[in-house]
Amino acid sequence: MMFKHIVILTGAGISAESGIPVFRSETGLWENHRIEDVCVPEALIRDPLTVHEFYNTMRRSLPSKEPNPAHRAIARLQQEWPAQGGQVTLITQNIDDLHERAGSMQVIHMHGALKSIWCTACGRRFYWDEDSSPDSKCPHCGKPALRPDIVFFGEMPYHMDEISDALSDCDLFLAVGTSGVVYPAAGFCQYARAAKALCVEFNLEKSAVASNFHYGRYSKAGVTVPSFVEELLTSGKAQGWNEA
Ligand code: APR
């Protein structure tokens, strides 16, 4: 087997074919909302109802979205690669639950998750599948101090120690459907390169950090990711990479 530890980073583009809008496009999610109204810590103080409602709307839409072939291919790789002696770490910037619903068991949600809520009074997190509001009470301490468990701009992404360990250990790094403009995720490829990993991006077009990758597959992730995974599982090698 060629690769012992594969690290996969996904972004909004992997869920685009499932009908979830990406952030940076002409019809993107932020179009009707200013980031500073819904995705910064100050917004929670200024207008918490708007912040809760913004994420309620997204959470409510999840049951109508289905994982697509790219999510399923990654879940398949996670399930089958260990049988070949390897390991797959999946990191997502997405707050949707499509990786889980595709069958991925271990998903590192570095920007938080819609199906989670965080009590700022007692610090506990809970699985959360309903609407929340500034009046919602913490199931543990009872205080009305719940906030969507989302990493806002200016806040530290979650699980950075685990991510850093995985990147420094990986020999294949794949980035799927991410524009490469939001750090620290945009810099993960450089960490993986420092660990001598082969780095491949999957996108409709070259990302802002495309030059950091060895090469890319530029088409819909729902097509390119399943074929790449199939190739990996059958040959153990990365499609299109000439080692010479
Ligand atoms: N297949 C592959 N790539 C696609 C597809 C598709 N079907 N559709 C869109 N893309 C690509 C776009 O070309 C773009 O490069 O997905 C990328 C989406 O970019 P962004 O909208 O910037 O999403 P992302 O990179 O995940 O954003 C990072 O920014 O707003 C914050 O916290 C938010 O997690 C998010 C972070």
Side-chain angles (χ1 to χ4, degrees), residues 3-7 86-89 161-173 188 191-198:
F3 302 109
K4 286 197 167 54
H5 190 170
I6 302 170
V7 173
Q87 180 187 353
V88 180
T89 300
D161 287 348
E162 195 183 343
I163 290 170
S164 167
D165 287 349
L167 290 170
S168 60
D169 180 59
C170 76
D171 47 11
L172 176 63
F173 175 74
F188 287 176
Y191 283 97
R193 289 270 320 227
K196 309 244 179 304
L198 174 65

Side-chain angles (χ1 to χ4, degrees), residues 9 13 25 69 111 119 125 141 169:
L9 170 71
S25 78
H111 290 167
C119 177
R125 290 181 160 80
C141 73
D169 180 59

Side-chain angles (χ1 to χ4, degrees), residues 1 5 9 19 29 34 40 50 53 69 80 83 98 107 122 137 142 144 151 153 176 193 203 208 213 229-230 234:
M1 191 202 62
H5 190 170
L9 170 71
L29 183 62
R34 297 185 318 153
V40 296
T50 297
E53 269 309 312
E80 296 184 20
L98 295 181
V107 188
C122 73
K137 304 232 175 6
V151 176
F153 284 93
V176 183
R193 289 270 320 227
N203 203 308
F213 288 81
V229 165
E230 177 68 27
T234 51

Side-chain angles (χ1 to χ4, degrees), residues 8 19-20 34 116 119 153 173 200 204-205 219 223 228 237:
I8 304 172
I20 299 180
R34 297 185 318 153
S116 176
C119 177
F153 284 93
F173 175 74
V200 188
L204 292 180
E205 57 195 18
S219 185
V223 175
F228 188 87
K237 294 199 172 152

Side-chain angles (χ1 to χ4, degrees), residues 7-12 23-24 90-94 108-112 151 153 155-160 163-164 167 173-193 199-201 207-210 212-213:
V7 173
I8 304 172
L9 170 71
T10 65
F23 293 97
R24 290 167 191 81
L90 174 59
I91 306 161
T92 188
Q93 298 167 89
N94 299 343
I108 300 174
H109 280 275
M110 65 177 289
H111 290 167
V151 176
F153 284 93
E155 295 182 327
M156 182 67 83
Y158 298 153
H159 312 298
M160 287 306 295
I163 290 170
S164 167
L167 290 170
F173 175 74
L174 310 176
V176 183
T178 180
S179 55
V181 299
V182 176
Y183 284 81
F188 287 176
C189 179
Q190 283 166 301
Y191 283 97
R193 289 270 320 227
C199 299
V200 188
E201 76 168 359
S207 75
V209 290
N212 292 336
F213 288 81

